[in-house]
Amino acid sequence: MKSIGVFTSGGDAPGMNACIRSVVRTGLSLGLDVYGIKYGYNGMIDGDIYKMKSYSVSNIVQRGGTILKSARSKEFMTKEGRAKAYEQLTKRGIEGLVAIGGDGTFTGANIFHEEFGIPIVGAPGTIDNDLYGSDYTIGFDTAVNTALDAIDKIRDTANSHDRVFFIEVMGRHSGYIAIQSGIGGGAELVVVPETSITMEDVINTLKEGRDKQKTSSIVVVAEGGDQGDAHQIASHVIKELPDLDIRVSTLGHIQRGGSPTSYDRILSSRLGMAAVEGLINGEKNVMVGVINDKITYTSFKLAISKAKPINQELMRLVEILSI
Ligand code: F6P
């Protein structure tokens, strides 16, 4: 293999730049040509591709977002779109790909590999931490710390006004950001899609807190849960406990930006290097990950289809710490 391409796709995540930098510099150090593909699969289809040098990735290790830009491509979901993308790659002699993204990215990569045989190694880049095959994904640690910082600030005002706050965090269908920021932020309750917490449980927890003279409470809600979003849960609770002064705060996309934490920079750099080395050593159709601090390769199929369960010990911890 003499030439590889790298791209970021799906929701951006802090640390993607550190991963791109690592892919480029590992590739160059192995004597490869490295091409940057902009806007994910869209740029692959359109030929928005350029040769990267070492200086192309200077001064980006500390920056959030992705210098290669990102997109969710509808056209790549069609066979014609994928054929166009393949043509663009072969035109430039690109023989292998590093795909930095989440489950949508790897679903596309898996089909692309099966149809055209091009070797692809994925690096898990999503704040959601919802990919089987890696204990942590690029951007998750930063997103948790951003959420935590917001929770700390909200706690100050909640406390001053004796209020209950419902704080919604991201995670699509996964409660990882909620559980970690909830524990770190001292939440009374964490509502995540992976558990069967009912509206009754939420009401009972807040009632118990009130009866124990708790003057303010924080409930962290993961988006995408069965109970609805934070506004829906809060409006239900207001009806049942009208004496509580309730507010809702949705943290939204601030969780996706910002300078990556040291953990994310190192994780991203390790994954980038291992992705390129994997490609060179014949890995294909796999996602590189870190499990128990060791580099591993998991097939795309498993990474996207197998659920990564929330550690139940953490759920128990929330309960114990909020008495
Ligand atoms: O997958 C990352 C993520 O930030 C999810 O947590 C969230 O549900 C989704 O992307 C939001 O997507 P968009 O930026 O397209 O609104």
Side-chain angles (χ1 to χ4, degrees):
M1 195 175 285
K2 290 201 173 63
S3 184
I4 62 170
V6 57
F7 64 98
T8 49
S9 161
D12 62 349
M16 279 184 163
N17 278 329
C19 190
I20 295 167
R21 173 176 175 264
S22 174
V23 168
V24 171
R25 292 198 170 159
T26 304
L28 294 177
S29 75
L30 291 169
L32 301 173
D33 283 340
V34 185
Y35 287 87
I37 302 164
K38 296 189 79 176
Y39 295 99
Y41 292 117
N42 280 345
M44 206 182 288
I45 293 168
D46 297 340
D48 197 351
I49 300 171
Y50 69 107
K51 211 172 195 177
M52 298 184 87
K53 304 281 180 209
S54 183
Y55 64 75
S56 314
V57 290
S58 292
N59 196 27
I60 64 165
V61 71
Q62 79 284 17
R63 283 168 54 192
T66 158
I67 59 160
L68 291 177
K69 311 277 185 149
S70 194
R72 302 189 207 273
S73 174
K74 285 215 166 67
E75 201 181 347
F76 196 76
M77 289 178 190
T78 66
K79 183 134 196 202
E80 297 72 46
R82 293 191 292 275
K84 277 194 216 164
Y86 186 66
E87 202 188 309
Q88 295 287 1
L89 298 178
T90 45
K91 236 199 296 194
R92 291 167 179 83
I94 297 172
E95 299 162 293
L97 292 172
V98 175
I100 307 169
D103 55 356
T105 306
F106 300 156
T107 303
N110 190 36
I111 301 171
F112 198 41
H113 171 78
E114 278 173 3
E115 284 174 353
F116 296 97
I118 183 156
I120 310 175
V121 175
T126 166
I127 62 165
D128 299 341
N129 199 32
D130 59 349
L131 289 164
Y132 179 83
S134 193
D135 289 343
Y136 294 105
T137 57
I138 294 167
F140 169 67
D141 186 63
T142 308
V144 168
N145 279 290
T146 300
L148 194 55
D149 183 50
I151 292 170
D152 287 349
K153 287 176 173 142
I154 290 171
R155 183 175 275 291
D156 287 345
T157 174
N159 188 261
S160 305
H161 289 268
D162 290 348
R163 282 175 171 162
V164 172
F165 263 88
F166 286 82
I167 304 175
E168 184 176 298
V169 298
M170 276 187 166
R172 205 179 288 265
H173 305 299
S174 155
Y176 273 94
I177 298 177
I179 193 88
Q180 298 243 359
S181 61
I183 291 173
E188 269 58 42
L189 191 65
V190 178
V191 184
V192 293
E194 293 89 343
T195 57
S196 50
I197 289 180
T198 62
M199 203 63 86
E200 219 186 335
D201 295 328
V202 179
I203 291 163
N204 285 340
T205 303
L206 293 174
K207 247 194 220 163
E208 279 165 24
R210 183 191 58 188
D211 297 346
K212 280 187 272 181
Q213 322 296 319
K214 273 198 186 191
T215 55
S216 67
S217 294
I218 300 285
V219 180
V220 176
V221 180
E223 63 171 355
D226 291 343
Q227 306 305 330
D229 63 22
H231 279 280
Q232 289 164 321
I233 298 176
S235 56
H236 200 92
V237 173
I238 288 167
K239 281 189 208 129
E240 299 293 320
L241 302 170
D243 55 318
L244 293 184
D245 190 6
I246 293 176
R247 293 290 186 276
V248 179
S249 190
T250 303
L251 301 187
H253 285 78
I254 62 160
Q255 295 160 96
R256 286 246 295 265
S259 181
T261 58
S262 64
Y263 182 85
D264 268 330
R265 295 181 201 193
I266 293 161
L267 175 72
S268 305
S269 303
R270 287 182 75 190
L271 292 174
M273 182 177 85
V276 176
E277 289 180 348
L279 268 182
I280 294 302
N281 294 328
E283 294 284 356
K284 47 190 162 219
N285 226 17
V286 293
M287 182 192 85
V288 62
V290 170
I291 298 177
N292 293 332
D293 211 32
K294 295 245 159 19
I295 292 291
T296 54
Y297 298 90
T298 303
S299 72
F300 281 144
K301 269 200 185 120
L302 263 189
I304 56 188
S305 63
K306 218 165 161 183
K308 186 160 97 180
I310 285 266
N311 182 345
Q312 288 306 313
E313 197 71 5
L314 295 181
M315 290 305 297
R316 216 160 61 80
L317 191 58
V318 176
E319 218 173 293
I320 290 170
L321 297 182
S322 66
I323 57 166

